[in-house]
Coordinates of all heavy atoms in Angstrom, one line a residue:
M266 N -6.6 19.1 5.9 CA -6.3 18.9 4.5 C -4.8 19.1 4.4 O -4.2 20.0 5.0 CB -7.0 19.9 3.6 CG -7.0 19.5 2.2 SD -7.8 18.0 1.8 CE -9.2 18.6 0.9
D267 N -4.1 18.2 3.7 CA -2.7 18.3 3.4 C -2.4 19.1 2.2 O -2.8 18.6 1.1 CB -2.1 16.9 3.4 CG -0.6 16.8 3.5 OD1 0.0 17.8 3.8 OD2 -0.1 15.7 3.4
E268 N -1.8 20.2 2.3 CA -1.6 21.1 1.2 C -1.0 20.4 -0.1 O 0.1 19.9 0.0 CB -0.6 22.3 1.6 CG -1.0 23.0 2.8 CD -0.5 22.3 4.1 OE1 0.5 21.6 4.0 OE2 -1.1 22.5 5.1
G269 N -1.7 20.4 -1.2 CA -1.2 20.0 -2.4 C -1.1 18.5 -2.6 O -0.7 18.0 -3.7
R270 N -1.5 17.7 -1.6 CA -1.3 16.2 -1.7 C -2.6 15.5 -1.9 O -2.6 14.3 -1.9 CB -0.5 15.7 -0.5 CG 0.9 16.3 -0.5 CD 1.7 15.6 0.5 NE 3.0 16.3 0.6 CZ 3.5 16.7 1.7 NH1 2.9 16.6 2.9 NH2 4.7 17.4 1.7
N271 N -3.7 16.2 -1.9 CA -5.0 15.6 -2.0 C -5.2 14.5 -1.0 O -5.7 13.4 -1.3 CB -5.2 15.0 -3.4 CG -5.1 16.0 -4.5 OD1 -5.6 17.1 -4.3 ND2 -4.5 15.7 -5.6
M272 N -4.9 14.8 0.2 CA -5.1 13.9 1.4 C -5.8 14.6 2.5 O -5.8 15.8 2.6 CB -3.7 13.5 2.0 CG -3.0 12.4 1.2 SD -1.4 12.1 1.9 CE -1.9 11.3 3.4
I273 N -6.6 13.8 3.2 CA -7.3 14.4 4.4 C -7.3 13.3 5.4 O -7.5 12.1 5.1 CB -8.7 14.8 4.0 CG1 -9.4 15.6 5.1 CG2 -9.5 13.7 3.5 CD1 -10.6 16.3 4.7
L274 N -7.2 13.7 6.7 CA -7.3 12.7 7.8 C -8.8 12.9 8.3 O -9.2 14.0 8.7 CB -6.3 13.1 8.9 CG -6.5 12.3 10.2 CD1 -6.2 10.8 9.9 CD2 -5.5 12.7 11.2
L275 N -9.5 11.8 8.2 CA -10.9 11.8 8.5 C -11.3 10.5 9.2 O -10.9 9.5 8.7 CB -11.7 12.0 7.2 CG -13.2 12.0 7.3 CD1 -13.7 13.3 8.0 CD2 -13.9 11.9 5.9
F276 N -11.9 10.7 10.3 CA -12.4 9.5 11.1 C -13.6 8.9 10.4 O -14.6 9.6 10.3 CB -12.6 9.8 12.5 CG -11.4 10.3 13.2 CD1 -11.1 11.6 13.4 CD2 -10.4 9.3 13.7 CE1 -9.9 12.0 14.0 CE2 -9.3 9.7 14.3 CZ -9.0 11.1 14.5
P277 N -13.6 7.7 9.9 CA -14.7 7.1 9.3 C -16.0 7.1 10.1 O -17.1 7.2 9.6 CB -14.3 5.6 9.0 CG -12.8 5.7 8.9 CD -12.4 6.8 9.9
S278 N -15.9 7.1 11.4 CA -17.1 7.1 12.3 C -17.9 8.4 12.1 O -19.0 8.5 12.5 CB -16.7 6.9 13.7 OG -15.8 7.9 14.2
L279 N -17.2 9.4 11.6 CA -17.9 10.7 11.4 C -18.8 10.8 10.1 O -19.6 11.7 9.9 CB -16.9 11.9 11.3 CG -16.1 12.1 12.6 CD1 -15.0 13.2 12.3 CD2 -17.0 12.4 13.7
I280 N -18.6 9.8 9.2 CA -19.3 9.7 8.0 C -20.6 8.9 8.1 O -20.5 7.7 8.6 CB -18.4 9.2 6.8 CG1 -17.2 10.0 6.7 CG2 -19.2 9.1 5.5 CD1 -16.1 9.4 5.8
K281 N -21.7 9.4 7.7 CA -22.9 8.6 7.7 C -23.1 8.0 6.3 O -23.5 8.7 5.4 CB -24.1 9.5 8.1 CG -24.0 10.2 9.4 CD -23.9 9.1 10.6 CE -23.7 9.9 11.9 NZ -23.0 9.2 12.9
F282 N -22.8 6.7 6.1 CA -23.0 6.1 4.9 C -24.4 5.7 4.6 O -25.1 5.2 5.5 CB -22.1 4.9 4.8 CG -20.6 5.2 4.9 CD1 -19.9 4.9 6.1 CD2 -19.9 5.7 3.8 CE1 -18.6 5.2 6.2 CE2 -18.6 6.0 3.9 CZ -17.9 5.8 5.1
E283 N -24.9 5.8 3.4 CA -26.2 5.5 3.0 C -26.4 4.0 2.7 O -27.4 3.4 2.8 CB -26.7 6.3 1.9 CG -26.8 7.8 2.2 CD -27.4 8.6 1.1 OE1 -28.1 8.0 0.2 OE2 -27.3 9.8 1.2
S284 N -25.2 3.3 2.3 CA -25.3 1.9 2.0 C -24.0 1.3 2.3 O -23.0 1.9 2.5 CB -25.7 1.7 0.5 OG -24.6 2.2 -0.3
K285 N -24.0 -0.1 2.3 CA -22.8 -0.8 2.5 C -21.8 -0.6 1.3 O -20.6 -0.5 1.5 CB -23.1 -2.3 2.6 CG -21.8 -3.2 2.8 CD -22.1 -4.6 3.0 CE -21.0 -5.5 3.2 NZ -19.7 -5.1 2.8
E286 N -22.3 -0.4 0.1 CA -21.4 -0.1 -1.0 C -20.7 1.2 -0.8 O -19.5 1.3 -1.1 CB -22.3 0.0 -2.3 CG -21.5 0.2 -3.6 CD -22.4 0.2 -4.8 OE1 -23.0 -0.9 -5.1 OE2 -22.5 1.2 -5.4
D287 N -21.4 2.2 -0.3 CA -20.7 3.5 0.0 C -19.6 3.3 1.0 O -18.5 3.9 0.9 CB -21.7 4.5 0.5 CG -22.7 5.0 -0.6 OD1 -22.4 4.8 -1.8 OD2 -23.7 5.6 -0.2
R288 N -19.9 2.5 2.0 CA -18.9 2.3 3.1 C -17.7 1.5 2.5 O -16.6 1.8 2.9 CB -19.6 1.5 4.2 CG -18.6 1.2 5.4 CD -19.3 0.3 6.4 NE -18.4 -0.1 7.4 CZ -18.2 0.5 8.6 NH1 -19.0 1.5 8.9 NH2 -17.3 0.0 9.4
D289 N -18.0 0.6 1.7 CA -16.9 -0.2 1.1 C -15.9 0.6 0.3 O -14.7 0.3 0.1 CB -17.4 -1.4 0.2 CG -18.1 -2.4 1.1 OD1 -17.8 -2.4 2.3 OD2 -18.8 -3.3 0.5
N290 N -16.4 1.8 -0.2 CA -15.5 2.7 -1.0 C -14.4 3.3 -0.1 O -13.4 3.7 -0.7 CB -16.3 3.8 -1.6 CG -17.2 3.4 -2.8 OD1 -16.9 2.5 -3.5 ND2 -18.3 4.1 -2.9
F291 N -14.6 3.2 1.2 CA -13.6 3.7 2.1 C -12.7 2.6 2.7 O -11.9 2.9 3.6 CB -14.2 4.6 3.2 CG -14.6 5.9 2.8 CD1 -15.8 6.1 2.1 CD2 -13.8 7.0 3.0 CE1 -16.1 7.4 1.7 CE2 -14.1 8.3 2.6 CZ -15.3 8.5 1.9
A292 N -12.9 1.4 2.3 CA -12.1 0.3 2.8 C -10.6 0.4 2.4 O -10.3 0.8 1.3 CB -12.7 -1.0 2.3
P293 N -9.7 0.1 3.3 CA -8.3 0.2 3.0 C -7.9 -0.8 1.9 O -8.5 -1.9 1.8 CB -7.5 -0.1 4.3 CG -8.5 -0.8 5.1 CD -9.9 -0.4 4.7
T294 N -7.0 -0.4 1.0 CA -6.5 -1.3 0.0 C -5.1 -1.8 0.3 O -4.6 -2.8 -0.3 CB -6.4 -0.6 -1.4 OG1 -5.6 0.5 -1.3 CG2 -7.8 -0.2 -1.8
C295 N -4.4 -1.2 1.2 CA -3.0 -1.6 1.7 C -2.7 -0.8 2.9 O -3.4 0.0 3.4 CB -2.0 -1.3 0.6 SG -1.7 0.5 0.3
H296 N -1.5 -1.2 3.5 CA -1.0 -0.5 4.7 C 0.4 0.0 4.4 O 1.2 -0.7 3.9 CB -1.0 -1.5 5.9 CG -2.3 -2.1 6.2 ND1 -3.3 -1.4 6.9 CD2 -2.8 -3.2 5.8 CE1 -4.3 -2.1 7.0 NE2 -4.1 -3.3 6.4
M297 N 0.7 1.3 4.6 CA 2.0 1.9 4.4 C 2.7 2.1 5.7 O 2.1 2.2 6.7 CB 1.8 3.2 3.6 CG 1.1 3.1 2.3 SD 1.0 4.6 1.4 CE 0.3 5.8 2.5
F298 N 4.0 2.1 5.6 CA 4.9 2.2 6.8 C 4.6 1.2 7.8 O 4.6 1.5 9.0 CB 4.8 3.6 7.3 CG 5.1 4.7 6.3 CD1 4.1 5.4 5.6 CD2 6.4 4.9 5.9 CE1 4.4 6.3 4.7 CE2 6.7 5.9 4.9 CZ 5.7 6.6 4.3
Y299 N 4.3 0.0 7.4 CA 3.9 -1.1 8.3 C 4.9 -1.5 9.4 O 4.5 -1.8 10.5 CB 3.4 -2.3 7.5 CG 2.6 -3.3 8.3 CD1 1.3 -3.0 8.6 CD2 3.1 -4.5 8.7 CE1 0.5 -3.9 9.4 CE2 2.4 -5.4 9.4 CZ 1.1 -5.1 9.7 OH 0.3 -6.0 10.5
P300 N 6.2 -1.4 9.1 CA 7.2 -1.8 10.1 C 7.1 -0.8 11.4 O 7.5 -1.2 12.4 CB 8.5 -1.6 9.5 CG 8.2 -1.9 8.0 CD 6.9 -1.3 7.8
M301 N 6.5 0.3 11.2 CA 6.3 1.3 12.3 C 5.0 1.2 13.0 O 4.6 2.0 13.7 CB 6.6 2.7 11.8 CG 8.0 2.9 11.3 SD 8.2 4.5 10.6 CE 8.3 4.1 8.9
R302 N 4.2 0.1 12.7 CA 2.9 0.0 13.2 C 2.9 -0.2 14.7 O 3.8 -0.5 15.3 CB 2.2 -1.3 12.6 CG 2.9 -2.6 13.1 CD 2.4 -3.7 12.3 NE 3.0 -5.0 12.6 CZ 4.2 -5.4 12.2 NH1 4.9 -4.6 11.4 NH2 4.7 -6.5 12.6
Q303 N 1.7 0.1 15.3 CA 1.5 -0.1 16.7 C 0.7 -1.4 17.0 O 0.7 -1.9 18.1 CB 0.7 1.1 17.3 CG 1.5 2.4 17.1 CD 2.8 2.4 17.9 OE1 2.8 2.1 19.1 NE2 3.8 2.8 17.2
V304 N 0.0 -1.8 15.9 CA -0.9 -3.0 16.1 C -0.8 -3.8 14.8 O -0.7 -3.3 13.7 CB -2.4 -2.5 16.2 CG1 -3.3 -3.7 16.3 CG2 -2.6 -1.6 17.4
D305 N -0.7 -5.1 14.9 CA -0.7 -6.0 13.8 C -2.1 -6.0 13.2 O -3.1 -6.0 13.9 CB -0.3 -7.5 14.2 CG 1.2 -7.6 14.6 OD1 1.9 -6.7 14.2 OD2 1.5 -8.6 15.2
I306 N -2.1 -6.1 11.8 CA -3.4 -6.1 11.1 C -3.4 -7.3 10.2 O -3.0 -7.1 9.0 CB -3.7 -4.8 10.4 CG1 -3.5 -3.6 11.4 CG2 -5.0 -4.8 9.7 CD1 -3.6 -2.2 10.7
P307 N -3.9 -8.4 10.6 CA -3.9 -9.6 9.8 C -5.1 -9.7 8.8 O -6.0 -10.5 9.0 CB -3.9 -10.8 10.8 CG -4.7 -10.2 11.9 CD -4.3 -8.7 12.0
D308 N -5.1 -8.8 7.8 CA -6.3 -8.7 7.0 C -6.0 -9.2 5.5 O -6.9 -9.0 4.7 CB -6.8 -7.3 6.9 CG -5.8 -6.3 6.4 OD1 -4.6 -6.7 6.1 OD2 -6.1 -5.1 6.4
G309 N -4.8 -9.7 5.2 CA -4.5 -10.2 3.9 C -4.2 -9.1 2.9 O -4.1 -9.4 1.7
K310 N -4.1 -7.8 3.3 CA -3.8 -6.7 2.4 C -2.3 -6.5 2.3 O -1.6 -6.9 3.2 CB -4.5 -5.5 2.9 CG -6.0 -5.6 3.0 CD -6.7 -4.5 2.4 CE -8.2 -4.5 2.5 NZ -8.9 -5.6 2.5
P311 N -1.8 -5.9 1.2 CA -0.4 -5.7 1.1 C 0.1 -4.7 2.2 O -0.6 -3.8 2.5 CB -0.2 -5.0 -0.3 CG -1.5 -5.1 -1.0 CD -2.5 -5.5 0.0
K312 N 1.3 -5.0 2.7 CA 1.9 -4.1 3.8 C 3.2 -3.7 3.3 O 4.1 -4.5 3.1 CB 1.9 -4.9 5.1 CG 0.6 -5.1 5.7 CD 0.4 -6.4 6.4 CE -0.9 -6.6 7.0 NZ -1.9 -7.2 6.1
W313 N 3.4 -2.4 3.1 CA 4.6 -1.8 2.5 C 5.5 -1.2 3.6 O 5.0 -0.7 4.6 CB 4.2 -0.7 1.6 CG 3.3 -1.1 0.4 CD1 2.0 -1.2 0.3 CD2 3.8 -1.7 -0.8 NE1 1.6 -1.7 -0.9 CE2 2.7 -2.0 -1.6 CE3 5.1 -1.9 -1.3 CZ2 2.9 -2.6 -2.9 CZ3 5.2 -2.4 -2.6 CH2 4.1 -2.7 -3.4
T314 N 6.8 -1.2 3.3 CA 7.7 -0.6 4.3 C 7.7 0.9 4.2 O 8.1 1.6 5.2 CB 9.2 -1.1 4.0 OG1 9.5 -0.8 2.7 CG2 9.3 -2.6 4.2
G315 N 7.3 1.4 3.1 CA 7.2 2.9 2.9 C 5.9 3.2 2.1 O 4.9 2.7 2.3
I316 N 6.1 4.1 1.1 CA 5.0 4.4 0.2 C 4.7 3.2 -0.6 O 5.5 2.5 -1.2 CB 5.5 5.6 -0.7 CG1 5.8 6.8 0.1 CG2 4.4 5.9 -1.7 CD1 4.7 7.5 0.8
D317 N 3.4 3.0 -0.8 CA 2.9 1.8 -1.6 C 3.4 1.9 -3.0 O 3.4 2.9 -3.6 CB 1.4 1.7 -1.5 CG 0.6 2.8 -2.1 OD1 1.1 4.0 -1.9 OD2 -0.4 2.6 -2.8
G318 N 3.9 0.8 -3.5 CA 4.4 0.7 -4.9 C 5.8 1.2 -5.1 O 6.4 1.0 -6.1
Q319 N 6.3 2.0 -4.1 CA 7.7 2.5 -4.3 C 8.6 2.0 -3.2 O 9.8 2.4 -3.1 CB 7.6 4.1 -4.1 CG 6.7 4.7 -5.1 CD 6.6 6.2 -4.9 OE1 7.3 6.8 -4.0 NE2 5.7 6.9 -5.6
S320 N 8.2 1.0 -2.4 CA 9.0 0.4 -1.4 C 8.9 -1.1 -1.4 O 8.2 -1.6 -2.3 CB 8.6 1.0 0.0 OG 7.3 0.7 0.3
D321 N 9.4 -1.8 -0.5 CA 9.3 -3.2 -0.4 C 8.1 -3.6 0.4 O 7.6 -2.9 1.3 CB 10.6 -3.8 0.3 CG 11.8 -3.5 -0.5 OD1 11.8 -3.6 -1.7 OD2 12.9 -3.2 0.1
L322 N 7.6 -4.8 0.1 CA 6.5 -5.4 0.8 C 7.1 -6.1 2.1 O 8.1 -6.7 2.1 CB 5.8 -6.5 0.0 CG 4.9 -5.9 -1.1 CD1 4.5 -7.0 -2.1 CD2 3.6 -5.3 -0.5
C323 N 6.3 -6.0 3.2 CA 6.7 -6.6 4.4 C 6.4 -8.1 4.4 O 5.6 -8.6 3.6 CB 5.9 -6.0 5.6 SG 6.3 -4.3 5.9
E324 N 7.0 -8.8 5.3 CA 6.7 -10.3 5.4 C 5.3 -10.6 5.7 O 4.8 -11.7 5.3 CB 7.6 -10.8 6.6 CG 9.1 -10.6 6.4 CD 9.9 -11.9 6.6 OE1 9.3 -12.9 6.9 OE2 11.1 -11.8 6.3
D325 N 4.5 -9.7 6.3 CA 3.1 -10.0 6.6 C 2.2 -9.9 5.3 O 1.0 -10.1 5.4 CB 2.6 -9.1 7.6 CG 3.3 -9.3 9.0 OD1 4.0 -10.3 9.1 OD2 3.1 -8.5 9.9
S326 N 2.8 -9.5 4.2 CA 2.0 -9.3 3.0 C 1.7 -10.7 2.4 O 2.4 -11.7 2.6 CB 2.8 -8.5 2.0 OG 3.0 -7.2 2.4
P327 N 0.6 -10.7 1.6 CA 0.3 -12.0 0.9 C 1.4 -12.5 0.0 O 2.1 -11.7 -0.7 CB -0.9 -11.6 0.0 CG -1.5 -10.4 0.7 CD -0.4 -9.7 1.3
P328 N 1.8 -13.8 0.1 CA 2.9 -14.3 -0.7 C 2.9 -14.1 -2.2 O 3.9 -13.8 -2.8 CB 2.9 -15.8 -0.4 CG 2.1 -15.9 0.9 CD 1.1 -14.8 0.9
D329 N 1.7 -14.2 -2.8 CA 1.6 -14.0 -4.2 C 1.9 -12.5 -4.6 O 2.6 -12.3 -5.6 CB 0.2 -14.4 -4.8 CG -0.9 -13.6 -4.1 OD1 -0.8 -13.3 -2.9 OD2 -1.9 -13.4 -4.8
L330 N 1.6 -11.6 -3.8 CA 1.9 -10.2 -4.0 C 3.4 -9.9 -3.9 O 4.0 -9.2 -4.6 CB 1.1 -9.2 -3.1 CG -0.3 -9.1 -3.4 CD1 -1.0 -8.3 -2.4 CD2 -0.6 -8.5 -4.8
K331 N 4.0 -10.6 -2.9 CA 5.5 -10.5 -2.7 C 6.2 -11.0 -3.9 O 7.2 -10.4 -4.4 CB 5.9 -11.2 -1.4 CG 5.5 -10.5 -0.1 CD 5.9 -11.2 1.1 CE 7.4 -11.1 1.1 NZ 8.0 -11.7 2.3
R332 N 5.8 -12.2 -4.4 CA 6.4 -12.7 -5.6 C 6.3 -11.8 -6.8 O 7.3 -11.6 -7.5 CB 5.8 -14.1 -5.9 CG 6.5 -15.3 -5.4 CD 6.0 -16.6 -6.0 NE 4.6 -16.8 -5.9 CZ 4.0 -17.2 -4.8 NH1 4.7 -17.5 -3.7 NH2 2.6 -17.3 -4.8
K333 N 5.1 -11.3 -7.0 CA 4.9 -10.4 -8.1 C 5.8 -9.1 -8.0 O 6.3 -8.7 -9.0 CB 3.4 -10.0 -8.1 CG 3.0 -9.1 -9.3 CD 1.6 -8.7 -9.3 CE 1.2 -7.7 -10.4 NZ -0.1 -7.2 -10.3
R334 N 5.9 -8.6 -6.8 CA 6.7 -7.4 -6.6 C 8.2 -7.7 -6.8 O 8.9 -6.9 -7.4 CB 6.5 -6.9 -5.1 CG 7.4 -5.6 -4.8 CD 7.0 -4.5 -5.6 NE 7.8 -3.3 -5.3 CZ 8.0 -2.3 -6.1 NH1 7.5 -2.2 -7.3 NH2 8.8 -1.3 -5.7
E335 N 8.6 -8.8 -6.4 CA 10.0 -9.2 -6.7 C 10.3 -9.3 -8.2 O 11.3 -8.9 -8.7 CB 10.4 -10.5 -6.0 CG 10.5 -10.4 -4.5 CD 11.6 -9.4 -4.1 OE1 12.7 -9.5 -4.7 OE2 11.3 -8.7 -3.2
E336 N 9.3 -9.9 -8.9 CA 9.5 -10.0 -10.4 C 9.5 -8.6 -11.0 O 10.3 -8.4 -11.9 CB 8.3 -10.8 -11.0 CG 8.4 -12.3 -10.6 CD 7.1 -13.0 -11.0 OE1 6.2 -12.5 -11.7 OE2 7.0 -14.2 -10.6
E337 N 8.7 -7.7 -10.5 CA 8.6 -6.3 -11.1 C 10.0 -5.6 -10.8 O 10.5 -5.0 -11.7 CB 7.5 -5.5 -10.4 CG 6.1 -5.9 -10.8 CD 5.0 -5.2 -10.0 OE1 5.4 -4.5 -9.0 OE2 3.9 -5.4 -10.3
K338 N 10.5 -5.8 -9.6 CA 11.8 -5.2 -9.3 C 12.9 -5.7 -10.2 O 13.8 -5.0 -10.7 CB 12.2 -5.4 -7.8 CG 11.3 -4.5 -6.9 CD 11.6 -4.8 -5.4 CE 13.0 -4.5 -5.0 NZ 13.2 -4.6 -3.6
K339 N 12.9 -7.0 -10.4 CA 14.0 -7.6 -11.3 C 13.8 -7.1 -12.7 O 14.8 -6.8 -13.4 CB 13.8 -9.2 -11.3 CG 14.3 -9.8 -10.0 CD 14.2 -11.3 -10.1 CE 14.6 -11.9 -8.8 NZ 14.3 -13.4 -8.8
S340 N 12.6 -7.0 -13.2 CA 12.3 -6.4 -14.5 C 12.8 -5.0 -14.6 O 13.4 -4.6 -15.6 CB 10.9 -6.5 -14.8 OG 10.6 -5.9 -16.1
E341 N 12.5 -4.2 -13.6 CA 13.0 -2.8 -13.6 C 14.5 -2.7 -13.6 O 15.1 -1.8 -14.3 CB 12.4 -2.1 -12.3 CG 11.0 -1.8 -12.3 CD 10.4 -1.4 -11.0 OE1 11.2 -1.1 -10.1 OE2 9.2 -1.2 -10.9
E342 N 15.2 -3.5 -12.8 CA 16.6 -3.5 -12.8 C 17.2 -3.9 -14.1 O 18.2 -3.3 -14.6 CB 17.1 -4.5 -11.7 CG 16.9 -4.0 -10.3 CD 17.3 -5.0 -9.2 OE1 18.0 -6.0 -9.5 OE2 16.9 -4.8 -8.1
K343 N 16.6 -4.9 -14.8 CA 17.1 -5.3 -16.1 C 16.9 -4.2 -17.1 O 17.8 -4.0 -17.9 CB 16.2 -6.6 -16.5 CG 16.7 -7.1 -17.8 CD 15.9 -8.4 -18.2 CE 16.3 -8.9 -19.6 NZ 15.4 -10.0 -20.0
E344 N 15.8 -3.5 -17.1 CA 15.6 -2.4 -18.0 C 16.6 -1.3 -17.8 O 17.1 -0.7 -18.7 CB 14.2 -1.8 -17.8 CG 13.1 -2.7 -18.4 CD 11.7 -2.1 -18.2 OE1 11.6 -0.9 -17.9 OE2 10.7 -2.9 -18.2
K345 N 17.0 -1.0 -16.5 CA 18.0 0.0 -16.2 C 19.3 -0.4 -16.7 O 20.0 0.5 -17.3 CB 18.0 0.3 -14.7 CG 16.9 1.1 -14.1 CD 17.1 1.4 -12.6 CE 16.0 2.2 -12.1 NZ 16.3 2.5 -10.6
K346 N 19.7 -1.6 -16.6 CA 21.0 -2.1 -17.1 C 21.0 -2.0 -18.6 O 22.1 -1.6 -19.2 CB 21.2 -3.5 -16.6 CG 21.6 -3.7 -15.2 CD 21.9 -5.1 -14.8 CE 22.3 -5.2 -13.3 NZ 22.6 -6.5 -12.9
E347 N 19.9 -2.3 -19.3 CA 19.9 -2.3 -20.7 C 20.0 -0.8 -21.2 O 20.6 -0.6 -22.3 CB 18.6 -2.9 -21.2 CG 18.6 -4.4 -21.1 CD 17.2 -5.0 -21.5 OE1 16.3 -4.2 -21.8 OE2 17.1 -6.2 -21.5
K348 N 19.5 0.1 -20.4 CA 19.6 1.5 -20.8 C 20.9 2.2 -20.3 O 21.2 3.3 -20.6 CB 18.4 2.3 -20.2 CG 17.1 2.0 -20.8 CD 16.0 2.8 -20.1 CE 14.7 2.5 -20.7 NZ 13.6 3.3 -20.1
G349 N 21.7 1.4 -19.6 CA 23.0 1.9 -19.1 C 22.9 2.7 -17.8 O 23.8 3.4 -17.4
E350 N 21.8 2.6 -17.1 CA 21.6 3.3 -15.9 C 21.9 2.4 -14.7 O 21.8 1.2 -14.9 CB 20.1 3.8 -15.7 CG 19.6 4.7 -16.8 CD 18.1 5.0 -16.7 OE1 17.5 4.6 -15.7 OE2 17.6 5.6 -17.6
E351 N 22.2 2.9 -13.6 CA 22.4 2.1 -12.3 C 22.2 2.9 -11.1 O 22.3 4.0 -11.0 CB 23.7 1.4 -12.3 CG 23.7 0.2 -13.3 CD 24.8 -0.7 -13.0 OE1 25.1 -1.1 -11.8 OE2 25.4 -1.2 -13.9

């Protein structure tokens, strides 16, 4: 258990799922720190350069998600400029 971060490293093979639905609850939603990967994972999920949502998407990420993230970043930059932050 990782102190205070609500994280745990657990091998899925150790869990006995009662149904496919239970198993699907543990399916990955994205990949973090993907540039440091050891294996390519062509699964169509977002691949982040760092922490998800706080970093850039990698080239292997779905194109529509990359476009959306770029739009979000431009919007955030525009808001900062309007507030006088940089």
